[in-house]
Every structure is written in C-alpha cells, then in structure tokens.
C-alpha cells in the first residue's frame, strides 16, 4: 500500500478523518494534527506530502461552503490581511535559513497561549471598530512574516477574528480562504521540490476521502454549536496550538 505497512496506511486514514472532523468543527488545526501524528509513524517528507492534498481540498470545502458570492465578499472585507500575508510570506521566505526557528516558534506560541487563556478567563479582548484596519494590517504582516519563515500563518488571523467578534460562518469562511491560498502555495512549492511525486501524490489524494468525510461530520457539529461554544472550543484549540509551537521551539533548540 503505497510503500506503507497496512497498519500505517489505516492509521493515517483514521488520523486524517479525525483531523478533518476538527477542522470542520472549528475551521483550523488540521495540518497540526496530521503532521504531529504522521511524523511519529512516517518519514518526514512522506508525512508532509500526505497532508498537502487533503489540506488543499478541505480548505476549498470550507471557503466555498456558503457560496462564491460570500467568498468574494470576505476577500473584499479582509483584503488588507490577505494582501499582507501574501506579501510578507514572500518577503520573509528568503530569511528562513538565517533566523533561528526555535525562537520564532517560541515568540509566536507564547503570545497565542496568553491571548487564548486571557479570553477563556472571561475577559475578552475586543477591538474598537476604528482600529480594525490597523489591526488587520498588523496581524497580516505578523502572519506573513511567520509564514515565510516557519510555514505557519494562521494563528494571527484567528486572534484577529476573535478580537473583532466575527460570526461563526464568517470566521470559518475567512480562515478557509486564507488557508486555501497558503495551501496552493504549498502545493506548487512541493511539486517543484519533489516531495509530491509519483508515489506520494496518489497517497495524498487518497487521504482526501477521509478528510472529506471528517469535514462533513465536523460541519454537522459546527452547525449545532452556538457562538459561545464555538468561541470556547476555538480558544481551547488555540491554546493547544500555541503550546505545540512552544514544544516545537524547545525540541528544535535555540
């Protein structure tokens, strides 16, 4: 089975289904779950290849779930954040080898955990409408800078959406759009790098099936959650994401 033992194949099928379920429920964390689990049972390059197509496919599902018109509207509304992310991914990518990754993960993970824990404590941070444009640009720059260096650009967007009180559907859709753009960049990059090749591409495509099924179950749960539950679970997952970044920082070293 694609050069894998049967237990490995069925394990990554189950992991992908679960990751899709989480993404369908709260809109993010799929690559984190897949990469963390895959890296313990697969070679690093195979693990990365396996998540590329399911990530692309599920972000298309997520972004276009409410229709094309809503996607266009969200792109217009969040155009500054999206533009800053794309521009600064390109700007910072060239410095990836020169900046210690451990420090980058630590400087991203600690503020994310602090923000999420503060929000969970019942003292929400809400942005004044007059400062939204500035915050949108700043979080886009931060996301882009970290994205080009570490491949992670989602958390600053989630922090921004939570701080502006975005609705469930808007948060899901905007996350899907921004993550989709990143997934396209990842696909193109690794078609050229050779990580996606004749052996790994079919396996990555197969994993779109459990990812799709997991997303559908996650969407069903998402639709049943009220705004308070959705925000609470988003914050809990954001804490886990931040702690995982801190863990990676110490595992890489400074």
């Amino acid at each position: 089975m694609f050069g894998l033992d049967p237990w490995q194949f069925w394990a990554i099928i189950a992991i992908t289904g679960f990751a899709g379920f989480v993404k369908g429920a709260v809109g993010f964390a799929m690559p984190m779950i897949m990469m963390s689990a895959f890296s313990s049972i697969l070679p690093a390059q195979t693990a990365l290849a396996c998540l590329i197509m399911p990530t692309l496919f599920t972000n298309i599902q997520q972004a276009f779930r409410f229709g094309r018109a809503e996607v266009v509207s969200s792109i217009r509304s969040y155009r500054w954040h999206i533009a800053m992310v794309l521009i600064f991914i390109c700007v910072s990518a060239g410095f990836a080898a020169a900046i210690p990754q451990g420090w980058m993960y630590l400087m991203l993970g600690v503020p994310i955990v602090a923000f999420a824990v503060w929000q969970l404590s019942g003292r929400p941070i809400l942005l004044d409408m007059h400062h939204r444009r500035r915050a949108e640009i700043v979080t886009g720059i931060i996301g882009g800078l970290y994205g080009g260096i570490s491949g992670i650009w989602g958390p600053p967007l989630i922090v921004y959406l939570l701080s502006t009180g975005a609705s469930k559907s808007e948060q899901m859709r905007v996350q899907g759009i921004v993550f989709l753009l990143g997934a396209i960049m990842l696909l193109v990059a690794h078609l050229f790098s050779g990580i996606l090749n004749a052996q790994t591409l079919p396996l990555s495509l197969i994993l779109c099936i459990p990812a799709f099924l997991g997303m559908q179950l996650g969407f069903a749960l998402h639709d049943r959650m009220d705004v308070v539950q959705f925000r609470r679970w988003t914050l809990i997952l954001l804490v886990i994401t931040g702690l995982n970044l801190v863990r990676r920082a110490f595992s890489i070293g400074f």
Side-chain angles (χ1 to χ4, degrees), residues 17 21 36 47 52 60 74 81 88 96 111-112 116 128 131 167 175 178 182 185 191 224 233 243-244:
F21 171 75
S36 297
I52 291 173
I60 293 172
S74 291
H81 183 95
F88 281 89
I112 288 170
D128 188 296
H131 302 303
S167 67
Q175 287 174 185
V178 175
M185 293 172 65
L191 281 172
R224 294 178 61 183
W233 282 109
L243 290 174
N244 186 58

Coordinates of all heavy atoms in Angstrom, one line a residue, residues 17 21 36 47 52 60 74 81 88 96 111-112 116 128 131 167 175 178 182 185 191 224 233 243-244:
G17 N -9.1 11.5 9.0 CA -10.5 11.6 9.3 C -10.8 12.5 10.5 O -11.6 13.3 10.5
F21 N -12.4 16.2 10.9 CA -13.6 16.5 11.8 C -13.3 17.7 12.6 O -14.2 18.6 12.8 CB -13.8 15.3 12.7 CG -14.7 15.5 13.9 CD1 -16.1 15.5 13.6 CD2 -14.3 15.7 15.1 CE1 -17.0 15.8 14.7 CE2 -15.1 15.9 16.2 CZ -16.5 16.0 15.9
S36 N 1.8 16.3 13.4 CA 2.2 15.8 14.7 C 2.1 14.3 14.7 O 3.0 13.6 15.3 CB 1.4 16.5 15.8 OG 1.6 17.9 15.8
A47 N 5.3 12.3 5.4 CA 4.3 13.0 6.3 C 3.9 14.3 5.7 O 2.7 14.6 5.7 CB 4.9 13.1 7.7
I52 N -0.7 17.5 2.1 CA -0.8 18.6 1.2 C -2.2 18.6 0.4 O -2.9 19.6 0.4 CB 0.3 18.6 0.1 CG1 1.6 19.0 0.9 CG2 0.1 19.6 -1.0 CD1 2.9 18.9 0.0
I60 N -10.8 24.3 0.3 CA -11.8 24.6 -0.8 C -13.2 24.3 -0.2 O -14.1 25.2 -0.4 CB -11.6 23.7 -2.0 CG1 -10.3 24.1 -2.7 CG2 -12.7 23.9 -3.0 CD1 -9.8 23.2 -3.8
S74 N -16.0 38.2 1.4 CA -15.0 38.1 2.5 C -13.6 38.5 2.0 O -12.9 39.2 2.8 CB -14.9 36.6 3.0 OG -16.1 36.3 3.7
H81 N -5.6 42.1 5.2 CA -4.9 41.0 5.9 C -4.4 40.0 4.9 O -3.2 39.6 5.0 CB -5.9 40.3 6.8 CG -5.3 39.2 7.6 ND1 -4.8 39.3 8.9 CD2 -5.0 37.9 7.3 CE1 -4.2 38.2 9.3 NE2 -4.4 37.3 8.4
F88 N 4.2 39.4 2.8 CA 5.2 39.2 3.7 C 5.7 37.7 3.8 O 6.8 37.5 4.3 CB 4.8 39.8 5.1 CG 5.0 41.2 5.2 CD1 4.0 42.1 4.8 CD2 6.2 41.8 5.5 CE1 4.1 43.5 4.8 CE2 6.4 43.2 5.6 CZ 5.4 44.0 5.2
A96 N 14.5 32.6 5.9 CA 14.1 31.4 6.7 C 15.3 30.7 7.3 O 15.3 30.2 8.4 CB 13.3 30.4 5.9
P111 N 2.6 34.3 22.9 CA 1.5 35.3 22.9 C 0.2 34.6 22.5 O -0.9 35.1 23.0 CB 2.0 36.2 21.8 CG 3.4 36.1 21.7 CD 3.7 34.6 22.0
I112 N 0.2 33.6 21.7 CA -1.1 32.9 21.4 C -1.7 32.3 22.6 O -2.9 32.4 22.8 CB -0.8 31.9 20.2 CG1 -0.6 32.6 18.9 CG2 -2.0 30.9 20.1 CD1 -0.1 31.6 17.8
A116 N -5.3 33.4 24.3 CA -6.4 32.4 24.4 C -6.8 32.2 25.9 O -8.0 32.1 26.2 CB -6.0 31.1 23.7
D128 N -11.8 48.0 19.0 CA -12.7 49.1 18.6 C -12.8 49.1 17.1 O -11.8 48.9 16.4 CB -12.1 50.4 19.1 CG -13.0 51.6 18.9 OD1 -13.3 51.9 17.8 OD2 -13.4 52.2 19.9
H131 N -10.1 50.8 14.9 CA -8.8 50.3 14.9 C -8.7 49.0 14.0 O -7.7 48.4 14.0 CB -8.2 50.0 16.3 CG -8.2 51.2 17.1 ND1 -7.5 52.4 16.8 CD2 -8.8 51.5 18.4 CE1 -7.7 53.3 17.8 NE2 -8.4 52.8 18.7
S167 N -18.6 36.5 13.2 CA -19.6 35.4 13.4 C -19.0 34.0 13.1 O -17.9 34.0 12.5 CB -20.8 35.6 12.4 OG -20.4 35.5 11.1
Q175 N -11.1 32.0 7.4 CA -10.0 31.0 7.6 C -9.8 30.1 6.4 O -8.6 29.9 6.0 CB -10.3 30.2 8.9 CG -10.2 30.9 10.2 CD -10.6 30.1 11.4 OE1 -10.7 30.5 12.5 NE2 -10.9 28.8 11.2
V178 N -8.0 32.2 3.5 CA -6.5 32.4 3.8 C -5.7 31.2 3.8 O -4.6 31.1 3.2 CB -6.4 33.2 5.1 CG1 -4.9 33.4 5.5 CG2 -7.1 34.5 5.1
G182 N -2.6 29.7 1.2 CA -1.4 29.0 1.6 C -1.2 27.6 1.1 O -0.1 27.2 0.8
M185 N 0.0 27.6 -2.4 CA 1.5 27.9 -2.5 C 2.3 26.7 -2.1 O 3.3 26.3 -2.7 CB 1.8 29.1 -1.5 CG 1.2 30.4 -1.9 SD 1.4 31.7 -0.7 CE 3.2 31.8 -0.6
L191 N 5.5 20.5 -5.6 CA 5.5 19.8 -6.9 C 6.9 20.0 -7.5 O 7.5 19.2 -8.1 CB 4.4 20.4 -7.8 CG 3.0 19.8 -7.5 CD1 2.0 20.6 -8.4 CD2 2.9 18.4 -7.9
R224 N -24.4 22.8 15.0 CA -25.1 22.6 16.2 C -24.6 23.5 17.4 O -25.3 23.7 18.4 CB -25.1 21.2 16.7 CG -25.8 20.2 15.7 CD -25.7 18.8 16.1 NE -26.3 18.6 17.5 CZ -26.3 17.4 18.1 NH1 -25.7 16.4 17.5 NH2 -26.8 17.3 19.3
W233 N -14.4 26.5 22.1 CA -13.6 25.4 21.5 C -12.5 26.0 20.6 O -11.4 25.4 20.6 CB -14.5 24.5 20.8 CG -15.2 23.5 21.7 CD1 -16.6 23.5 22.0 CD2 -14.6 22.5 22.5 NE1 -16.8 22.6 23.0 CE2 -15.7 21.9 23.3 CE3 -13.3 22.0 22.6 CZ2 -15.5 20.8 24.1 CZ3 -13.1 21.0 23.5 CH2 -14.2 20.4 24.2
L243 N 0.7 25.9 22.6 CA 1.6 25.0 23.4 C 2.4 24.1 22.5 O 3.6 23.8 22.7 CB 0.8 24.2 24.3 CG 0.1 25.0 25.5 CD1 -0.8 24.0 26.3 CD2 1.2 25.6 26.4
N244 N 1.8 23.7 21.3 CA 2.5 22.8 20.4 C 3.7 23.6 19.8 O 4.8 23.0 19.5 CB 1.6 22.3 19.3 CG 2.3 21.3 18.4 OD1 2.8 20.3 18.8 ND2 2.3 21.6 17.1

